[in-house]
Amino acid sequence: MDTTTAHYIRLTTATEVTFKLHTPVPVTIDTLSTVLCCTPRNVKFTLRKLEEKGFIHWQPGIGRGHHSTLTLLRSENETIESSFMELMGKGKMKEAIEFIGAMENNETLREQLLDSLYKQMGFHSHSESSSGQDVLRMMRSRKLADLDPAFVYNAFETYLLGQVCSTLVTYDAKTDTFLPDLAHMWEGSKDYQVWTFYLRKSVRFHHNRMLTSKDVEFTLQRLRSVNSPVIWLYRDIERIEVAGDYCIRFYLNRPNQFFLHLFSCIPMTILPYDVDVSKQLIGTGPFQISEINEDLLKLSAFDNYYGIRPYLDQVHFWFVPDLESNERHYELPGTDRLEQSTHFAQTNSFNYPALGCQYMLFNFNKPGIFHNPKFRQAMRLVYDSVSLVTELGGNRITPANSLLPWKSAEHHWTPSSLEQARNLLHSSGYLSETLILSYSENKDVLTANWIQQRAQQIGLHIELSPTNECLYPTNAMKADLILAEEILEEDWQYGLIHFFTNRSNHLHICMSPHSLNELEQKLDSFGQLDTHARAQLLDEAENLLRDNDWILHGCHMNKSAQLNQSLFGMQTADFGYMDISKLWIKNQ
């Protein structure tokens, strides 16, 4: 807040003198000097400023022995709200958000300010925007993580990359087929060892240079040079041939029937060879990044997009990690915390049962009781899927024993016995040591507390360790137990093989080298198989993890949103997010 407002708040909360609203109170300059934390000389200057802004009425005493009087004209809440609205009116969203964060001791006022903030979020049509543009504003409850396609980890960042960048082909989950994107045509040899892509002409990057085959070659070589965690998937590529500006050919050292999937995924979004992605993310997608900092990501429609230009002109994502977990955030599906502001009374509901599930891992790269199979079996009963869904409910919709909901639905479910868990814990040799459970502070606090309470019932001591989601996989390695969630792409076979082989995710960081080697050996022939055989192999890989209790599946999650009725063109992208390139706002 500005200095004048801060001085007035000091007056309203002063202990040296008791003020009553609209009531003249006798004061001395010395007393006010103490209250305002300034010299007597500056007191008069401050009082003049306060009076000019209509905060007070000041009547100086005339003559010896006559006290001056000070009348407060605004309540503390009115002053704070006015200052907040002034920030909002000037578009100073960051300052307004910080302002709310300072309201720790006044929850009622904090809620009022939040409601005002949410009113500024959502959809703003040209009739409301001085810039004459359609703007969508949203808030996220955590900082933005890495947007480098070679290292992207989180679902939200992966989704954003799909709005800024493009791939050679796209996968259509409804028809289980591939559609043209940057490549208008492709062909594979009969033995699946040579794949050729023919690129569209006149496709422009956001810095206005034309796309060529050289950019495709650069993108793959970059995955290798930076040692991307996903490079295992591209190990069959022996060499690349740039056969002209608009033709590129890949030669493999063995057949790969899964090859098109690898060029429809976010790690292979095509980047320009002449731009350092670590300094600036440039793509060919419908939106370009016009501003990015720790508080704001601003996307602007790319007018030279080779497809249909977005109907929205701008999309603003505000990152507000300091708000508490019970605060309300107006967000698209799949985000950390979602609750519609009361200001958006007319809404469309959208529900999306996400592929993937919440799960628990053991950190096998640390010594601990969890190396004992009986302890892991006990933990399986503590972290019971049926009880988790029954007792916590919410967006935990069905119990899981697979990342795939249809696989879990085949299982016959019965609640677990904590008495059996207690017996297994005792026979494991557990000696009352405390185990650390790491979880995402944005998403999993309720589940973590629930696990801790159930563990206490069988004599198992668990200490909770909340972790920032952006740094989660590496920070979680200080823990013994890791609670996490995996959301798969609509291309579920790619999602699973990516989960099993991504070297930077929770699974790879937690598993022992021996177990990882066993998993990778099982999956080695994956690309050589047809769709049905790949599905069987993925099922065997899940069985390996499940049968050894290397992973404990928890529950499948539902993602939902309440969207203003002015919003049209709703289509889902990966992970259940709205495809913002298709959204448009109806002028009311």
Side-chain angles (χ1 to χ4, degrees):
M1 65 182 71
D2 62 82
T3 305
T4 305
T5 303
H7 281 141
Y8 188 72
I9 297 300
R10 287 196 184 100
L11 290 174
T12 63
T13 58
T15 56
E16 294 83 359
V17 57
T18 302
F19 289 104
K20 293 183 179 180
L21 197 62
H22 302 298
T23 302
V25 175
V27 291
T28 65
I29 294 295
D30 288 340
T31 301
L32 292 177
S33 176
T34 302
V35 172
L36 297 173
C37 302
C38 62
T39 64
R41 180 178 179 180
N42 284 333
V43 166
K44 295 181 180 180
F45 173 79
T46 300
L47 293 176
R48 186 163 61 250
K49 285 288 186 183
L50 289 168
E51 195 162 32
E52 288 173 358
K53 285 201 169 186
F55 285 109
I56 65 169
H57 176 66
W58 167 248
Q59 182 64 51
I62 302 176
R64 186 182 297 273
H66 291 84
H67 281 288
S68 301
T69 59
L70 179 64
T71 306
L72 302 189
L73 303 179
R74 296 187 191 179
S75 68
E76 179 186 356
N77 283 11
E78 181 186 0
T79 304
I80 292 173
E81 189 168 4
S82 175
S83 182
F84 174 78
M85 295 307 295
E86 184 178 349
L87 291 174
M88 295 285 288
K90 293 179 179 179
K92 296 183 177 181
M93 303 294 291
K94 177 183 177 182
E95 290 85 347
I97 290 167
E98 291 174 345
F99 198 104
I100 293 175
M103 298 292 104
E104 297 178 354
N105 299 321
N106 192 333
E107 190 60 33
T108 301
L109 178 59
R110 182 180 169 90
E111 286 292 324
Q112 292 174 0
L113 299 186
L114 277 169
D115 280 343
S116 298
L117 179 61
Y118 295 133
K119 194 173 182 179
Q120 293 299 314
M121 295 293 155
F123 308 98
H124 295 258
S125 68
H126 62 275
S127 61
E128 302 168 2
S129 171
S130 60
S131 63
Q133 294 189 322
D134 287 344
V135 179
L136 170 62
R137 299 180 188 143
M138 288 170 285
M139 284 194 295
R140 295 281 302 173
S141 56
R142 63 168 174 82
K143 293 292 186 184
L144 184 67
D146 196 350
L147 282 178
D148 186 334
F151 296 99
V152 67
Y153 176 78
N154 296 298
F156 177 69
E157 282 73 14
T158 304
Y159 155 74
L160 285 179
L161 283 169
Q163 299 292 320
V164 175
C165 302
S166 308
T167 50
L168 291 184
V169 294
T170 57
Y171 175 76
D172 183 0
K174 295 182 179 65
T175 60
D176 190 27
T177 58
F178 291 92
L179 303 175
D181 200 346
L182 293 178
H184 67 85
M185 178 63 181
W186 58 90
E187 55 192 9
S189 61
K190 290 182 178 180
D191 62 0
Y192 301 104
Q193 286 191 243
V194 182
W195 290 87
T196 306
F197 295 89
Y198 302 93
L199 306 185
R200 292 177 185 264
K201 296 182 179 180
S202 299
V203 173
R204 291 186 180 274
F205 284 104
H206 298 153
H207 66 329
N208 221 31
R209 181 176 62 72
M210 295 290 189
L211 167 82
T212 70
S213 301
K214 187 176 178 180
D215 299 298
V216 180
E217 179 187 36
F218 164 78
T219 299
L220 180 61
Q221 289 178 339
R222 181 177 181 271
L223 289 182
R224 290 171 170 169
S225 64
V226 299
N227 195 25
S228 169
V230 303
I231 200 61
W232 187 90
L233 294 172
Y234 300 87
R235 69 198 187 286
D236 290 343
I237 298 176
E238 192 171 72
R239 66 184 179 92
I240 306 170
E241 176 188 344
V242 175
D245 284 347
Y246 302 105
C247 178
I248 188 166
R249 191 167 290 115
F250 298 89
Y251 294 88
L252 314 186
N253 54 31
R254 60 176 175 172
N256 193 318
Q257 299 188 51
F258 195 67
F259 198 72
L260 290 178
H261 295 263
L262 305 183
F263 283 79
S264 67
C265 63
I266 289 301
M268 263 305 293
T269 52
I270 307 306
L271 302 174
Y273 66 81
D274 55 348
V275 177
D276 185 350
V277 71
S278 65
K279 297 179 180 179
Q280 184 180 18
L281 178 63
I282 294 289
T284 56
F287 286 96
Q288 59 185 324
I289 296 176
S290 52
E291 184 177 347
I292 184 170
N293 55 56
E294 64 176 8
D295 303 300
L296 171 67
L297 171 66
K298 184 181 293 186
L299 302 182
S300 299
F302 182 41
D303 291 331
N304 291 324
Y305 178 52
Y306 61 90
I308 299 175
R309 181 200 184 276
Y311 304 110
L312 293 173
D313 297 295
Q314 293 187 32
V315 181
H316 300 173
F317 296 94
W318 287 91
F319 303 102
V320 195
D322 295 328
L323 293 184
E324 297 174 3
S325 59
N326 64 342
E327 301 297 358
R328 296 176 294 180
H329 293 251
Y330 181 72
E331 303 174 297
L332 291 178
T335 50
D336 312 1
R337 297 172 287 190
L338 169 66
E339 185 176 335
Q340 173 64 29
S341 168
T342 55
H343 286 285
F344 294 108
Q346 294 184 329
T347 61
N348 292 315
S349 297
F350 180 85
N351 291 286
Y352 180 88
L355 292 180
C357 72
Q358 185 190 85
Y359 61 90
M360 182 185 293
L361 297 170
F362 304 94
N363 186 2
F364 290 112
N365 292 299
K366 284 185 64 178
I369 186 63
F370 43 83
H371 286 271
N372 187 303
K374 289 186 177 180
F375 176 87
R376 299 199 299 275
Q377 292 167 21
M379 202 65 228
R380 166 69 280 175
L381 300 178
V382 171
Y383 182 52
D384 174 55
S385 299
V386 175
S387 302
L388 176 65
V389 172
T390 304
E391 296 179 20
L392 291 187
N395 63 340
R396 304 164 188 83
I397 49 176
T398 54
N401 75 333
S402 165
L403 288 171
L404 304 174
W406 57 87
K407 287 287 184 182
S408 298
E410 298 172 357
H411 186 72
H412 177 67
W413 294 99
T414 56
S416 68
S417 164
L418 283 181
E419 182 60 33
Q420 184 183 358
R422 183 181 291 106
N423 294 335
L424 285 166
L425 181 68
H426 177 73
S427 61
S428 73
Y430 175 68
L431 299 175
S432 298
E433 62 265 36
T434 297
L435 278 73
I436 299 173
L437 171 65
S438 177
Y439 65 95
S440 168
E441 61 188 352
N442 286 334
K443 295 191 293 188
D444 298 326
V445 61
L446 286 178
T447 305
N449 285 324
W450 177 82
I451 291 171
Q452 184 185 49
Q453 291 166 10
R454 281 175 63 88
Q456 287 174 350
Q457 295 180 48
I458 67 168
L460 172 59
H461 306 296
I462 290 181
E463 176 185 329
L464 301 184
S465 176
T467 307
N468 185 299
E469 186 180 350
C470 297
L471 305 173
Y472 195 23
T474 51
N475 280 9
M477 290 310 95
K478 302 173 184 177
D480 304 293
L481 316 174
I482 293 89
L483 189 64
E485 180 183 351
E486 184 73 15
I487 302 176
L488 302 179
E489 292 86 345
E490 288 193 353
D491 183 356
W492 64 269
Q493 286 200 352
Y494 171 79
L496 278 181
I497 194 66
H498 181 246
F499 175 68
F500 292 143
T501 61
N502 186 325
R503 296 173 182 172
S504 69
N505 67 6
H506 294 92
L507 183 68
H508 271 244
I509 293 174
C510 287
M511 295 268 283
S512 70
H514 175 76
S515 300
L516 284 175
N517 184 58
E518 185 177 351
L519 179 63
E520 288 194 356
Q521 282 187 355
K522 175 172 282 295
L523 295 169
D524 183 64
S525 62
F526 178 79
Q528 298 174 271
L529 306 176
D530 62 23
T531 299
H532 179 69
R534 289 198 302 266
Q536 287 185 320
L537 186 61
L538 291 171
D539 195 31
E540 291 174 13
E542 274 209 307
N543 289 340
L544 176 67
L545 297 174
R546 186 192 306 109
D547 294 347
N548 288 284
D549 289 314
W550 291 340
I551 183 172
L552 307 180
H553 299 90
C555 60
H556 297 291
M557 310 292 285
N558 184 62
K559 307 297 180 181
S560 62
Q562 300 292 327
L563 301 175
N564 189 277
Q565 283 189 343
S566 297
L567 178 69
F568 289 84
M570 290 185 291
Q571 296 183 32
T572 56
D574 265 335
F575 313 110
Y577 290 93
M578 288 288 111
D579 183 351
I580 54 176
S581 70
K582 303 294 193 301
L583 298 180
W584 62 281
I585 302 168
K586 184 176 181 180
N587 184 6
Q588 298 297 324

